[in-house]
């Protein structure tokens, strides 16, 4: 186990640095102020979000997760390359969790209008930790495409953003394609994707984008690069791909 750290809330966190574990297998100990201990799987988001500040302590601070800042920065980079004022972007944050990505977008001048996640605990944590960040927050493992289409139209949304939310047991690529279809020409798709160049999530998303080539409004990749997503609990670098496309 790694050394525990004392946050302001009074509980401490001890990462399990057992080597060889996949991301979905990583665990940590939460030492409660009353002396009890709780072992939590990192991807048990319902439990993680239930404790204010726990996600930020473990994922953002201890594991140095860069995906939220990276996807937000890449979206801004792509918009500027297209000559689009960042302040005119209106984002839908897919896999929004408790609002870490949305906050990064807002801090760069993007209007964060809507968020979505598969569990109600994420929505509740976002409203608790970052009140007023999202005007709309949808909950569902697979979103209602008609509902999203209406939301995109009524709120004039122009950016679909997902940091680590596509693939890896989260939003399937075919569901992402349906959501992206709801966005108008000129919109941006900004993602971070697990794995290396040949990872199936990366290749599936790129195949989705390539499949639009013969359509009336094809998507064009503007940003594509590898970056360090975060540390594993064993201390190894985990690399993702950041990808931004625009719909012509």
């Amino acid at each position: 186990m790694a050394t525990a750290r004392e946050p302001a809330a009074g509980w401490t966190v001890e990462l399990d640095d057992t080597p060889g574990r996949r991301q979905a297998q990583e665990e940590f100990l939460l030492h409660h102020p009353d002396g009890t201990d709780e072992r939590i799987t990192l991807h048990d988001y319902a439990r993680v979000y239930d404790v204010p500040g726990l996600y930020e302590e473990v994922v953002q601070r201890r594991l140095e997760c860069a995906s939220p800042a990276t996807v937000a920065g890449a979206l801004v980079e792509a918009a500027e390359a297209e000559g689009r004022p960042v302040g005119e972007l209106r984002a839908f944050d897919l896999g929004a969790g408790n609002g870490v990505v949305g906050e990064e977008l807002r801090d760069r001048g993007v209007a964060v209008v809507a968020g979505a996640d598969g569990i109600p605990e994420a929505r509740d944590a976002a409203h608790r930790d970052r009140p007023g960040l999202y005007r709309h927050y949808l909950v569902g493992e697979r979103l209602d495409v008609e509902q999203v289409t209406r939301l995109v139209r009524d709120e004039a949304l122009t950016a679909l953003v997902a940091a680590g939310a596509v693939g890896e047991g989260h939003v399937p690529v075919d569901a992402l394609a349906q959501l992206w279809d709801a966005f108008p020409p000129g919109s941006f798709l900004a993602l971070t994707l697990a794995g290396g160049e040949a990872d199936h999530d990366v290749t599936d998303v790129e195949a989705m984008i390539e499949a639009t080539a013969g359509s009336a409004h094809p998507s064009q990749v503007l940003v594509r690069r590898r970056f360090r997503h975060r540390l594993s609990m064993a201390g190894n670098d985990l690399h993702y791909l950041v990808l931004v496309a625009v719909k012509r």
Side-chain angles (χ1 to χ4, degrees), residues 50 59 136-137 141 194:
D50 191 49
V59 179
H136 307 274
Y137 200 115
E141 289 293 338

Side-chain angles (χ1 to χ4, degrees), residues 57-79:
E57 175 64 21
V58 175
V59 179
Q60 299 304 118
R61 288 189 280 273
R62 298 289 292 275
L63 299 179
E64 302 175 9
C65 182
S67 270
T70 299
V71 77
L75 173 61
V76 169
E77 175 188 340

Side-chain angles (χ1 to χ4, degrees), residues 19-106:
R21 287 182 169 174
R22 294 181 291 106
Q23 290 187 56
Q25 298 173 320
E26 291 183 311
E27 299 177 332
F28 61 91
L29 281 180
L30 177 62
H31 302 297
H32 292 278
D34 64 3
T36 60
D37 293 337
E38 181 180 1
R39 180 172 287 274
I40 299 175
T41 301
L42 182 59
H43 281 195
D44 183 0
Y45 293 120
R47 180 64 188 122
V48 173
Y49 291 143
D50 191 49
V51 180
L54 183 58
Y55 181 87
E56 289 83 349
E57 175 64 21
V58 175
V59 179
Q60 299 304 118
R61 288 189 280 273
R62 298 289 292 275
L63 299 179
E64 302 175 9
C65 182
S67 270
T70 299
V71 77
L75 173 61
V76 169
E77 175 188 340
E80 290 176 344
E82 289 287 293
R84 298 276 295 283
V86 174
E88 293 181 1
L89 298 180
R90 296 173 61 78
F92 186 105
D93 183 5
L94 182 63
N98 67 345
V100 172
V101 175
E103 190 171 55
E104 291 282 355
L105 292 166
R106 183 189 63 188

Side-chain angles (χ1 to χ4, degrees), residues 5 9 44 70 109 115 183-184 189 192 199 203 213 224 230 234:
R5 177 175 173 176
D44 183 0
T70 299
F183 282 73
L189 175 66
T192 67
D199 185 272
T203 55
R224 185 189 189 278
R230 68 168 171 86

Side-chain angles (χ1 to χ4, degrees), residues 201-231:
D201 291 330
V202 172
T203 55
D204 287 351
V205 167
E206 293 190 320
M208 178 199 91
I209 292 172
E210 290 170 3
T212 69
S215 68
H217 301 290
S219 299
Q220 177 186 357
V221 174
L222 301 175
V223 177
R224 185 189 189 278
R225 59 175 168 263
R226 192 170 180 257
F227 72 101
R228 193 187 78 161
H229 163 60
R230 68 168 171 86
L231 294 172

Side-chain angles (χ1 to χ4, degrees), residues 128-148:
R128 177 196 68 209
D129 298 340
R130 295 168 177 85
L133 178 60
Y134 301 103
R135 184 179 305 170
H136 307 274
Y137 200 115
L138 309 182
V139 174
E141 289 293 338
R142 195 167 184 124
L143 298 177
D144 184 306
V145 176
E146 291 186 5
Q147 182 184 18
V148 173

